[in-house]
Structure formats: C-alpha cells, structure tokens
Amino acid sequence: MTNTGDTTTRPTAAADAPPGAGALAPLLTALLDGSVQVVDLTSPLSEETPLIQLPPERGQPWPFEREVISHYDEAGPTVYWNNIRLSEHTGTHFDAPIHWLTGKDLDDVSQVPAQRLVGPASVLDFSAEAAADPDFLLRRHHVEAWQERHGPLAAGGWLLYRTGWEARQDSQENFLNGKHTPGISPECAKWLAEETGIIGIGVETVGTDAGQAGEFDDQPYPCHWYFHGAGKYGVTQLRNLHRLPPQGAVLIAAPLPIVGGSGSPARVLALVSG
C-alpha cells in the first residue's frame, strides 16, 4: 500500500487480488490498480430531486423527504439517523415488470433475479439531436445505424440512451420541461423489447418514456408497455453516461428488494476499462 500524499491510501499498480479470487482475480486486480474504473451513474437523492408530475386526477408520487430521529443530541447522543419518505419511483430508480399493466403477472422488484442486475451496456449518444429538439424520438433506423458503427446491442444487457438531459437535473422546471423530453418511438420500443436481446433500457430523463408519450396515438407510454410486457426493466435519471464507451462497460443496478414493489430507488454503477 502506498500513501499518495492526499491522505488516501491506495494499492500499488502491482497489487494482487485477494487469495481465493479464482476467475474474479483479473477483475479485482484491475479494480485495485485502476485499470478498471467504477463510474457512478446515480443522481444524488435529496429534497431537490426532480419528480414526475401526473395529471391532478391521478395519484401522485411522494418527493423525497426526511425527518431526523437523532443528531448527536438528547434523542441519541452518539447517533445521527433519519426517517425518510419517498415514492418507489423517485430519483434514479429501477422499474420492475409489475410496474405496468402488461407486466402485472410478472416479477416485482424483489423477484428480479440478481443475475439480471449485472450486465453489459451499449451506450447510444443522441445528445446533439435532443439538444436541437427536446421531443426527439429514437427510432429503429437510428439504432440500426448505430449498430453498423459499433456492433450489435449487448445481449443480456442494457441500452443506455444518452440525451444530455442530466444537465437539467438542478431544476425541476427545466428537467420536466413542460413534458417536452426525449424518448423512444412506439415502433422502436416494441422492436427493442420484443426482438432484441437487451434486458432493459436506461435513460437520463424522469422516466423511460418521452414527455409526450401519453399522447401517442399508436401506443401511449410504449417503453413501459412493451418492455415490462416482455419481462424487461428500466432505470431512470442516470448521469455520467458521457464517461462510458459505446460498448464494453458493465452496468450494475442495485434496487432495494421491496416485496411486492413496482420499483425502487437504486444505486446504478458502471465498470469501465481505463
């Protein structure tokens, strides 16, 4: 172990993986020497976190709130902790199949196999298109053109859809943008969900569907409808997708295993070769 002078102790580049690591030894060594980096794709969760707004006649999700139990005071001289209140779908979160009508008989978030929470990621960057048109919709021909350049979508993995929307996360108004946010067209969502090997989609926006998706004539909320009907997943309000390569990263999605839960706030990480 070497002291770098910044009060942080780090292993040397020659650090060995722990004994007994077996097939994991190369990965552990790469994590220790920095040749594999861990990128946090999770947006910080606070009282300021943007939250979807539904029509007044619909039920509303709770924003993040906290109440101090004790803070090194008379209620608990040695401990600081809080009670929290929030929706399953607040901030960076995981959507399970049971979240939508089409997946109502499929897995809740506690039933999602752990093996499916770790997988390869294909990162499609359409931030320039979304900057020019906030209602930009990803279509099948966009994905097929991307595959011609970068290879097929990662089987058993995630399509991460970069739109640059993370830059708006400091403002509820700018983030929701009057329901003008980018998404995926119905025909593309159906194709991705039913005819490709990906297991989920990750986005930077408040939900996996476009802001105007409720008004689509051919299929409202197509990502929810088709992905969850196919037993697939969504993760939302991601950040730092610009730090990932088009192919080669590994996504780790870690929702709480809420029994009967339609989803959960999640910590989403990526492993990236340095």
Side-chain angles (χ1 to χ4, degrees), residues 160-214:
L160 303 184
Y161 179 26
R162 184 181 172 220
T163 58
W165 218 253
E166 71 160 293
R168 297 170 173 256
Q169 288 186 1
D170 290 339
S171 165
Q172 168 91 358
E173 181 179 359
N174 288 339
F175 194 67
L176 298 185
N177 198 39
K179 295 178 65 175
H180 293 282
T181 62
I184 299 179
S185 71
E187 54 86 21
C188 185
K190 186 175 192 298
W191 171 65
L192 289 170
E194 298 179 356
E195 299 185 44
T196 75
I198 63 172
I199 61 170
I201 181 170
V203 300
E204 298 172 317
T205 45
V206 73
T208 53
D209 275 301
Q212 295 291 308

Side-chain angles (χ1 to χ4, degrees), residues 120-141:
S122 300
V123 184
L124 281 64
D125 184 356
F126 286 87
S127 52
E129 289 81 354
D133 176 11
D135 291 318
F136 173 77
L137 297 179
L138 186 70
R139 300 186 183 276
R140 179 170 176 170
H141 70 85

Side-chain angles (χ1 to χ4, degrees), residues 218-242:
D218 35 3
Q219 179 55 67
Y221 304 110
C223 288
H224 286 77
W225 188 268
Y226 294 121
F227 272 83
H228 298 323
K232 298 183 177 183
Y233 319 114
V235 289
T236 75
Q237 285 177 251
L238 300 176
R239 63 173 182 158
N240 290 329
L241 294 185
H242 64 281

Side-chain angles (χ1 to χ4, degrees), residues 84-148:
I84 62 172
R85 165 180 161 136
L86 74 168
S87 162
E88 295 170 327
H89 299 267
T90 298
T92 300
H93 65 269
F94 183 97
D95 291 345
I98 200 174
H99 179 43
W100 214 250
L101 176 65
T102 48
K104 68 183 182 67
D105 296 320
L106 301 178
D107 287 350
D108 67 41
V109 71
S110 73
Q111 297 168 327
V112 174
Q115 189 77 20
R116 288 167 71 86
L117 298 176
V118 180
S122 300
V123 184
L124 281 64
D125 184 356
F126 286 87
S127 52
E129 289 81 354
D133 176 11
D135 291 318
F136 173 77
L137 297 179
L138 186 70
R139 300 186 183 276
R140 179 170 176 170
H141 70 85
H142 295 126
V143 180
E144 291 176 334
W146 182 92
Q147 290 185 107
E148 289 178 3

